[in-house]
Amino acid sequence: MKPKISRRTFLKTTLGTILATGLPVFSLPHALSKQKRTVREFRFSASKARVNLGIGPDFVAWTYNGEIPGPEVRVREGEIIRVVLKNYLPEGTTIHWHGVPVPVAMDGVPEVTQKAVMPGQTFVYEFEARPAGSYIYHSHVNYQLDQGLYGALIIEPAHQQDRYDREYTLLLEDWVMRDGGGVANTRRRPPMGMMMHGMRRRRRSSGPSRGPLLEPVYDGYAVNGRVYPEVKPLMVGKGDRVKLRILNASSATIYDLCLAGHTLTITHVDGNPIQPVETDVLRIGMGERYDVEFVANNPGTWLLAARERGFGEGALRIPIQYRGVRRKEPVPPIFHRGLRFATYWDFQTLHPSDKSVSEPAHRFYPQTLSGGMHSPFWTINGQVYPNAERLVVREGERVRIGYLNHSMMPHPMHLHGHFFKVVNPSLSPERWILKDTIIVNPMQRIEIEFLADNPGNWFHHCHNLYHMEAGMANVVVYQPE
Ligand code: C2O
Ligand code: CU
């Protein structure tokens, strides 16, 4: 059941529980055995449930514990997360801990790291919560992510810095408000190429399609399971420093967000601290997470809202309400030219490593992203997963991947099991930011580099669920010495 308490109360309660039970709120040295660590156990039942986004019809979604989104998992760095997953769904399922460099057996990718947990079965995920940051968990089977199987995973730092007065988690979701979520009985977006040629008409699909699905036309852009105006306002007090953890759990929607009346300061990208950067517009792709802060210095009722980019995502709106200020129609942001729009190239890591790497990487894998125009498939180097070349690495190597997006759509590329550095030629390497998901825009080239320090087979794919399922994926494999 969804607790009928505010986020703030919930936060307090969670922390209160830790304190009240006398569990350590500091992290233990890495070398200590698991038995000495605090184990935080969560029970997840994956099942269908009737849900409602606050407006619109009731419909049947696929859920954890009957809730959308799934329960927020909030732990402290160094604790052990144990999630007991029981599958009451009609098909196999898994949980992937998006962004967390877990041991490979816990990574939750069917056929790559584990067998899907079949109906009636139970599987126990257990791993160390590290490093601190904002993450998403989600099913990695078929289209289950778009049917509701996801939630927020927050790992708080072992030593709380407490630079802010309030904190909110905002999980961004795109929904089709029909039984089965995005994949059943829905209309499909025409491919971008067709749109570009003036075919904006939306077609109705008939019956189960053969081959990969096109993206649905979403009719609900929700925040924490609610659609505006039913989104719970973020309450702030004048003078508060407010932290927002913005997590994009959508299957196929990139948002440009802007907060009316305030400036956002980006402090973390995909959980990793950066030198704070001020921006008016924040672009967030599927699978990306941004921690931002703002100072509540402009009393009133405001909207944090998405720019309309053609599919209705402008409906994503979150009210900000000052305490003690009479509630009125919230003021929306105006997306005029001249707004500051921070990009990856404006960011540098908060903790530059001291040794700068000058030698070239041990491996280079060019990855041309393509497809979509006249084909139902999305490809890497012309290949459709699972018929895709594997990226072979050895432990200890530095591996560089060079993306070239040769298509008309942006692709948020995600690597499992590792953070990668985003190669930024105008910065020295020790200042490059760490991420695990990166948007590659049409016709753009981006290079990333990671240290092969987590042996296993790791999925690497576009985080547009419909592109991933249509082939835009491959696997990084570690070769034994
Ligand atoms: Cu959110 Cu394969 O990942
Ligand atoms: Cu894609």
Side-chain angles (χ1 to χ4, degrees):
M1 284 294 105
K2 197 147 220 150
K4 287 272 183 295
I5 48 175
S6 73
R7 267 232 32 81
R8 193 161 161 75
T9 326
F10 180 65
L11 245 181
K12 279 205 189 121
T13 315
T14 313
L15 293 174
T17 311
I18 300 171
L19 295 167
T21 49
L23 301 177
V25 292
F26 51 87
S27 132
L28 295 163
H30 210 79
L32 276 185
S33 75
K34 209 161 84 174
Q35 288 91 305
K36 297 214 176 93
R37 289 164 183 268
T38 304
V39 177
R40 304 285 309 276
E41 186 171 303
F42 303 84
R43 294 183 169 267
F44 279 22
S45 299
S47 67
K48 295 190 190 187
R50 184 158 286 278
V51 300
N52 187 286
L53 302 178
I55 64 164
D58 284 3
F59 61 98
V60 176
W62 292 35
T63 71
Y64 296 115
N65 299 353
E67 302 172 14
I68 52 159
E72 179 171 304
V73 172
R74 183 176 276 264
V75 301
R76 214 164 261 267
E77 187 175 30
E79 293 180 333
I80 302 295
I81 296 178
R82 178 187 294 153
V83 174
V84 182
L85 170 67
K86 178 95 203 260
N87 186 3
Y88 295 97
L89 295 167
E91 62 181 42
T93 194
T94 63
I95 304 179
H96 168 57
W97 313 94
H98 177 110
V100 187
V102 297
V104 73
M106 297 291 114
D107 197 46
V109 182
E111 307 321 320
V112 177
T113 72
Q114 72 169 115
K115 286 230 172 351
V117 184
M118 295 315 285
Q121 287 184 348
T122 298
F123 186 88
V124 181
Y125 290 95
E126 190 171 310
F127 55 91
E128 187 186 348
R130 181 180 297 281
S134 305
Y135 303 93
I136 298 166
Y137 64 82
H138 62 80
S139 163
H140 220 299
V141 175
N142 300 337
Y143 296 94
Q144 293 177 1
L145 168 63
D146 212 8
Q147 296 175 286
L149 291 174
Y150 54 77
L153 165 58
I154 308 299
I155 302 178
E156 297 178 343
H159 308 280
Q160 192 60 267
Q161 288 105 358
D162 263 337
R163 285 169 43 242
Y164 43 88
D165 304 298
R166 283 160 199 273
E167 179 190 331
Y168 293 100
T169 303
L170 304 176
L171 197 65
L172 315 184
E173 316 162 57
D174 50 9
W175 278 102
V176 175
M177 290 189 260
R178 288 182 189 80
D179 287 356
V183 301
N185 182 29
T186 174
R187 295 171 300 160
R188 311 287 172 202
R189 285 181 184 183
M192 200 51 136
M194 292 173 72
M195 284 205 28
M196 304 264 303
H197 293 94
M199 268 198 55
R200 272 193 105 88
R201 216 151 24 91
R202 289 166 169 181
R203 296 163 306 165
R204 188 170 284 279
S205 78
S206 48
S209 25
R210 278 171 295 128
L213 299 176
L214 295 178
E215 294 164 34
V217 174
Y218 294 104
D219 51 11
Y221 292 91
V223 180
N224 302 335
R226 311 289 285 175
V227 169
Y228 185 80
E230 294 304 313
V231 175
K232 222 160 125 38
L234 311 183
M235 298 303 297
V236 303
K238 180 158 193 281
D240 282 352
R241 181 174 286 273
V242 184
K243 177 183 177 78
L244 306 178
R245 296 177 186 263
I246 308 180
L247 326 180
N248 189 353
S250 305
S251 290
T253 309
I254 296 174
Y255 304 93
D256 284 351
L257 300 172
C258 181
L259 171 55
H262 301 77
T263 295
L264 297 174
T265 300
I266 303 171
T267 62
H268 297 71
V269 297
D270 296 350
N272 296 291
I274 61 165
Q275 304 268 10
V277 171
E278 288 191 356
T279 193
D280 297 312
V281 181
L282 175 71
R283 173 164 295 176
I284 182 166
M286 298 78 89
E288 288 192 298
R289 294 91 60 208
Y290 281 92
D291 293 7
V292 302
E293 294 182 4
F294 68 92
V295 179
N297 54 8
N298 196 357
T301 311
W302 306 94
L303 282 181
L304 171 62
R307 183 209 309 260
E308 179 55 54
R309 300 171 76 213
F311 288 113
E313 53 273 74
L316 187 99
R317 306 177 133 207
I318 303 137
I320 316 283
Q321 176 65 47
Y322 279 71
R323 263 180 307 143
V325 171
R326 209 159 56 85
R327 202 173 284 211
K328 47 180 193 313
E329 193 56 30
V331 178
I334 297 167
F335 286 90
H336 59 81
R337 275 168 229 246
L339 288 182
R340 282 170 299 176
F341 188 158
T343 71
Y344 301 142
W345 317 114
D346 298 317
F347 304 149
Q348 45 180 299
T349 181
L350 189 61
H351 305 299
S353 44
D354 15 274
K355 50 172 183 287
S356 108
V357 188
S358 47
E359 324 87 67
H362 299 93
R363 311 252 180 184
F364 181 75
Y365 285 106
Q367 304 272 278
T368 298
L369 313 174
S370 189
M373 284 286 262
H374 306 289
S375 136
F377 295 106
W378 290 92
T379 60
I380 299 178
N381 294 345
Q383 298 169 327
V384 175
Y385 183 81
N387 300 313
E389 208 183 318
R390 307 186 306 169
L391 311 187
V392 176
V393 305
R394 280 179 200 273
E395 191 170 0
E397 289 179 336
R398 276 184 306 111
V399 182
R400 193 174 277 211
I401 293 179
Y403 297 111
L404 167 61
N405 183 351
H406 212 273
S407 77
M408 297 308 292
M409 283 193 75
H411 302 292
M413 298 302 295
H414 173 52
L415 173 63
H416 286 216
H418 307 75
F419 290 106
F420 51 73
K421 287 186 167 186
V422 180
V423 175
N424 183 343
S426 63
L427 289 180
S428 57
E430 67 272 15
R431 301 188 176 273
W432 293 348
I433 53 169
L434 282 173
K435 283 183 105 303
D436 53 64
T437 309
I438 186 164
I439 301 176
V440 188
N441 283 310
M443 298 303 142
Q444 193 178 24
R445 273 175 202 277
I446 289 186
E447 291 188 1
I448 63 167
E449 191 172 295
F450 67 94
L451 179 64
D453 61 355
N454 195 4
N457 296 338
W458 299 100
F459 214 37
H460 166 237
H461 61 91
C462 174
H463 219 280
N464 179 312
L465 182 62
Y466 295 83
H467 297 182
M468 179 182 88
E469 289 294 317
M472 194 173 265
N474 55 29
V475 181
V476 171
V477 300
Y478 277 64
Q479 218 173 42
E481 292 304 307

